[in-house]
Amino acid sequence: MMCTAVCANVSRETSALRRYSSPFRRSRGLRTRQALIDAALAEIAEGAVRPEAGDVARRAGVHQAALPRHFGGLARFHRLLAQERPEAVAAAAGFGWLPLERQRDLAWSILVGRVRRHDGREQRS
């Protein structure tokens, strides 16, 4: 599976901080981000509601610091995954049959822990 907008957006943010650009480092970073995304989806498929950074990193075969380095932290990683890959999150959780809008709501609830209203804003409990 190719890296989605999640990887591309984060890649631009992190590359702006570097003084130089290397095609090898860029491609390795994209592979690491994709491995983290795939690992998180696998954790969700096994029943983890909000996968922990250590579990995701271990499954991806990278150091635990890779997740905050590439995504800015676990909470941001969960939000990006829920926004950019809701269909994959819903499918991993066993709810791929739901309509897309419901998949978005479900992915947000699973990963962020809050219910989203139908206008896209979070609903406080």
Side-chain angles (χ1 to χ4, degrees):
M1 206 177 260
M2 294 300 294
C3 199
T4 62
V6 173
C7 294
N9 290 339
V10 174
S11 179
R12 277 194 295 271
E13 292 173 11
T14 56
S15 65
L17 301 174
R18 298 195 194 288
R19 292 184 186 167
Y20 64 94
S21 177
S22 163
F24 171 74
R25 288 182 72 149
R26 196 173 322 114
S27 68
R28 186 175 65 183
L30 289 173
R31 283 194 310 270
T32 299
R33 284 185 279 282
Q34 187 60 50
L36 289 166
I37 290 169
D38 292 342
L41 293 173
E43 289 287 322
I44 292 167
E46 290 182 359
V49 177
R50 276 178 227 103
E52 294 294 323
D55 298 334
V56 172
R58 194 168 16 273
R59 183 178 287 259
V62 298
H63 191 272
Q64 185 172 348
L67 198 138
R69 183 181 313 123
H70 288 282
F71 292 99
L74 186 60
R76 185 169 180 211
F77 175 66
H78 287 162
R79 286 178 181 269
L80 286 170
L81 198 57
Q83 288 173 347
E84 299 290 333
R85 301 285 302 273
E87 68 288 340
V89 173
F95 292 98
W97 52 269
L98 288 172
L100 184 58
E101 187 56 39
R102 297 290 181 216
Q103 289 180 10
R104 288 186 183 117
D105 293 341
L106 178 69
W108 192 262
S109 297
I110 289 172
L111 291 170
V112 179
R114 293 191 178 146
V115 177
R116 254 182 21 171
R117 300 184 329 188
H118 291 288
D119 58 6
R121 297 187 334 216
E122 289 182 24
Q123 178 177 328
R124 302 267 180 196
S125 47

